[in-house]
Amino acid sequence: MEGERKDCISPVKKYLFIKVVVIALLLVLTAEMGRQALTKEETKKVQKTNSQQMKVENPLSMGKYPEVSGAVEEYFEKAAGESKFVEAYEGIESHIKLGRYKDTYVVFVRYDMKIKDIYTKVPGLGTLYVDKKKDGSYRVGTEVKEAEIRTCIEELAQHTDVQQLFADTQSAYHAAVQSDALLQEALMDLKNAYEDSTGS
């Protein structure tokens, strides 16, 4: 009887697990390419800086903008609370670069995603665009329509310090996958499902 029960539950858990792994994999791959879509910019900002100045004077910063980091942590807490698959985002690190306009920030967020019922945490890296609203609060999101801002984000993603962060995260991700056979199996199923759906 117990064996039958396990067989009943296992496919459901496996399906949910694969869906979460898809999300984690997409986040890592998207961050690696530096092309994740970012937040809507509703108001134009002033004090533009040129690309060369941003490269020289705009290193990744941690702890320098606590209000921005706090808004990012709240964003991830909310995301975990609304997810059926993610138990928590742990070890959140906000690596921040200044945006093109005043009070705008591009945040490369390193985290470990704890999936429900799965022991191994999945290292991930997301890209968020944060801006300060008129009321002093911070808006955090993943979509940006303005081509100029998207270009700025892509330029920042090519900076050496960001590329190193991408590489370190990808390395940690691969180490996690290698350490967990269930994760490997789920990723193989995901790859096969993708190839079947695209006819590759």
Coordinates of all heavy atoms in Angstrom, one line a residue, residues 11-44:
P11 N 5.3 11.2 -9.3 CA 5.2 11.9 -10.6 C 4.8 13.4 -10.4 O 5.3 14.3 -11.1 CB 4.1 11.2 -11.4 CG 4.1 9.8 -10.8 CD 4.4 10.0 -9.3
V12 N 3.9 13.6 -9.4 CA 3.5 15.0 -9.1 C 4.6 15.8 -8.6 O 4.9 16.9 -9.1 CB 2.3 15.0 -8.1 CG1 2.0 16.5 -7.7 CG2 1.1 14.3 -8.7
K13 N 5.4 15.3 -7.6 CA 6.5 16.0 -7.1 C 7.5 16.3 -8.2 O 8.1 17.3 -8.3 CB 7.1 15.3 -6.0 CG 6.4 15.4 -4.7 CD 7.2 14.8 -3.5 CE 6.4 15.0 -2.2 NZ 7.1 14.5 -1.1
K14 N 7.8 15.2 -9.0 CA 8.7 15.3 -10.1 C 8.4 16.4 -11.1 O 9.2 17.3 -11.5 CB 8.9 14.0 -10.8 CG 10.0 14.0 -11.8 CD 10.2 12.6 -12.4 CE 11.3 12.6 -13.4 NZ 11.5 11.3 -14.0
Y15 N 7.1 16.5 -11.4 CA 6.6 17.6 -12.4 C 6.8 18.9 -11.8 O 7.3 19.8 -12.4 CB 5.1 17.3 -12.6 CG 4.5 18.5 -13.4 CD1 4.7 18.6 -14.8 CD2 3.6 19.4 -12.8 CE1 4.2 19.7 -15.5 CE2 3.1 20.4 -13.5 CZ 3.3 20.6 -14.8 OH 2.8 21.6 -15.5
L16 N 6.4 19.1 -10.5 CA 6.6 20.4 -9.8 C 8.1 20.8 -9.8 O 8.5 21.9 -10.0 CB 6.0 20.4 -8.4 CG 4.5 20.2 -8.3 CD1 4.0 20.1 -6.9 CD2 3.7 21.3 -9.1
F17 N 8.9 19.8 -9.4 CA 10.3 20.0 -9.3 C 10.9 20.5 -10.7 O 11.7 21.4 -10.8 CB 11.0 18.7 -8.9 CG 12.5 18.8 -8.8 CD1 13.1 19.6 -7.8 CD2 13.3 18.2 -9.7 CE1 14.4 19.7 -7.7 CE2 14.7 18.4 -9.6 CZ 15.2 19.1 -8.6
I18 N 10.5 19.8 -11.8 CA 11.0 20.2 -13.1 C 10.6 21.6 -13.4 O 11.4 22.4 -13.9 CB 10.5 19.2 -14.2 CG1 11.2 17.9 -14.0 CG2 10.7 19.7 -15.6 CD1 10.6 16.7 -14.8
K19 N 9.3 22.0 -13.1 CA 8.9 23.4 -13.3 C 9.8 24.4 -12.6 O 10.2 25.4 -13.2 CB 7.5 23.6 -12.9 CG 6.5 23.0 -13.9 CD 5.1 23.3 -13.6 CE 4.8 24.7 -14.0 NZ 3.4 25.1 -13.9
V20 N 10.2 24.1 -11.4 CA 11.0 25.0 -10.6 C 12.4 25.0 -11.2 O 13.0 26.1 -11.3 CB 11.1 24.6 -9.1 CG1 12.1 25.4 -8.4 CG2 9.7 24.7 -8.5
V21 N 12.9 23.9 -11.6 CA 14.3 23.8 -12.2 C 14.3 24.6 -13.5 O 15.3 25.3 -13.8 CB 14.7 22.4 -12.4 CG1 16.0 22.3 -13.2 CG2 14.9 21.7 -11.1
V22 N 13.2 24.6 -14.2 CA 13.1 25.4 -15.4 C 13.3 26.9 -15.1 O 14.1 27.6 -15.7 CB 11.7 25.2 -16.1 CG1 11.6 26.2 -17.3 CG2 11.6 23.8 -16.7
I23 N 12.6 27.3 -14.0 CA 12.7 28.7 -13.6 C 14.1 29.0 -13.2 O 14.7 30.0 -13.6 CB 11.7 29.0 -12.4 CG1 10.3 28.8 -12.9 CG2 11.9 30.4 -11.9 CD1 9.3 28.8 -11.8
A24 N 14.7 28.1 -12.4 CA 16.1 28.4 -11.9 C 17.1 28.4 -13.1 O 17.9 29.3 -13.2 CB 16.5 27.3 -10.9
L25 N 16.9 27.5 -14.0 CA 17.8 27.4 -15.2 C 17.7 28.6 -16.0 O 18.7 29.2 -16.5 CB 17.5 26.1 -16.0 CG 18.4 25.8 -17.1 CD1 19.8 25.6 -16.7 CD2 17.9 24.6 -17.9
L26 N 16.5 29.1 -16.2 CA 16.2 30.3 -17.1 C 16.9 31.5 -16.4 O 17.5 32.3 -17.1 CB 14.7 30.5 -17.3 CG 14.1 29.5 -18.3 CD1 12.6 29.8 -18.3 CD2 14.7 29.6 -19.6
L27 N 16.7 31.6 -15.1 CA 17.3 32.7 -14.4 C 18.8 32.8 -14.6 O 19.5 33.8 -14.8 CB 17.0 32.7 -12.9 CG 15.6 33.2 -12.6 CD1 15.3 33.0 -11.1 CD2 15.3 34.6 -12.9
V28 N 19.5 31.6 -14.4 CA 20.9 31.5 -14.5 C 21.4 31.8 -15.9 O 22.3 32.6 -16.2 CB 21.5 30.2 -14.1 CG1 22.9 30.0 -14.4 CG2 21.3 30.0 -12.6
L29 N 20.7 31.2 -16.9 CA 21.1 31.4 -18.3 C 20.8 32.9 -18.7 O 21.7 33.5 -19.4 CB 20.3 30.5 -19.2 CG 20.7 29.0 -19.1 CD1 19.8 28.2 -19.9 CD2 22.1 28.8 -19.4
T30 N 19.7 33.4 -18.3 CA 19.4 34.8 -18.6 C 20.4 35.8 -18.0 O 20.9 36.7 -18.7 CB 18.0 35.2 -18.1 OG1 17.1 34.2 -18.6 CG2 17.6 36.6 -18.6
A31 N 20.8 35.5 -16.8 CA 21.7 36.4 -16.1 C 23.1 36.3 -16.8 O 23.8 37.3 -17.0 CB 21.9 36.0 -14.6
E32 N 23.5 35.1 -17.2 CA 24.7 34.9 -17.9 C 24.8 35.7 -19.2 O 25.8 36.3 -19.5 CB 24.9 33.4 -18.2 CG 26.2 33.1 -18.9 CD 26.3 31.6 -19.3 OE1 25.5 30.8 -18.8 OE2 27.1 31.3 -20.1
M33 N 23.7 35.8 -19.9 CA 23.7 36.6 -21.1 C 23.5 38.1 -20.9 O 23.7 38.9 -21.7 CB 22.5 36.1 -22.0 CG 22.7 34.6 -22.5 SD 21.3 34.0 -23.2 CE 21.0 35.1 -24.6
G34 N 23.1 38.4 -19.7 CA 22.9 39.8 -19.3 C 21.8 40.5 -20.1 O 21.7 41.7 -20.3
R35 N 20.8 39.6 -20.5 CA 19.7 40.1 -21.3 C 18.3 39.9 -20.7 O 17.3 40.0 -21.4 CB 19.7 39.5 -22.7 CG 21.0 39.8 -23.4 CD 20.9 39.1 -24.8 NE 22.1 39.4 -25.5 CZ 22.3 40.5 -26.2 NH1 21.5 41.5 -26.2 NH2 23.5 40.7 -26.8
Q36 N 18.3 39.7 -19.4 CA 16.9 39.6 -18.8 C 16.2 40.9 -18.9 O 16.7 41.9 -18.7 CB 17.1 39.2 -17.3 CG 15.8 38.9 -16.7 CD 16.0 38.4 -15.2 OE1 17.0 38.5 -14.7 NE2 14.9 37.9 -14.6
A37 N 14.9 40.8 -19.3 CA 14.1 42.0 -19.4 C 14.0 42.6 -18.0 O 14.0 42.0 -17.0 CB 12.7 41.6 -19.9
L38 N 13.8 44.0 -18.0 CA 13.8 44.7 -16.7 C 12.6 45.6 -16.6 O 11.8 45.7 -17.4 CB 15.2 45.4 -16.6 CG 16.3 44.4 -16.8 CD1 17.5 45.1 -17.2 CD2 16.5 43.7 -15.5
T39 N 12.5 46.3 -15.4 CA 11.3 47.0 -15.1 C 10.9 48.2 -15.9 O 11.7 48.8 -16.5 CB 11.4 47.6 -13.6 OG1 12.4 48.5 -13.6 CG2 11.6 46.5 -12.6
K40 N 9.6 48.5 -15.9 CA 9.0 49.6 -16.6 C 9.5 50.9 -16.0 O 9.5 51.1 -14.8 CB 7.5 49.6 -16.5 CG 6.9 48.4 -17.2 CD 5.4 48.4 -17.1 CE 4.8 47.2 -17.7 NZ 3.4 47.1 -17.5
E41 N 10.0 51.8 -16.8 CA 10.4 53.1 -16.3 C 9.3 54.1 -16.7 O 9.2 54.5 -17.9 CB 11.7 53.5 -17.0 CG 12.3 54.8 -16.7 CD 12.9 54.9 -15.3 OE1 13.1 53.8 -14.7 OE2 13.0 56.0 -14.8
E42 N 8.6 54.6 -15.7 CA 7.4 55.4 -16.0 C 7.8 56.9 -16.2 O 7.1 57.6 -16.9 CB 6.3 55.3 -15.0 CG 5.7 53.9 -15.0 CD 4.7 53.6 -13.9 OE1 4.5 54.6 -13.1 OE2 4.2 52.5 -13.8
T43 N 8.8 57.3 -15.5 CA 9.2 58.7 -15.6 C 10.7 58.9 -16.0 O 11.5 58.1 -15.6 CB 9.0 59.5 -14.2 OG1 9.8 58.8 -13.3 CG2 7.6 59.5 -13.8
K44 N 10.9 59.8 -16.9 CA 12.3 60.0 -17.3 C 13.1 60.7 -16.2 O 12.6 61.5 -15.4 CB 12.3 61.0 -18.5 CG 11.8 60.4 -19.8 CD 12.8 59.3 -20.3 CE 12.3 58.7 -21.5 NZ 13.1 57.6 -21.9

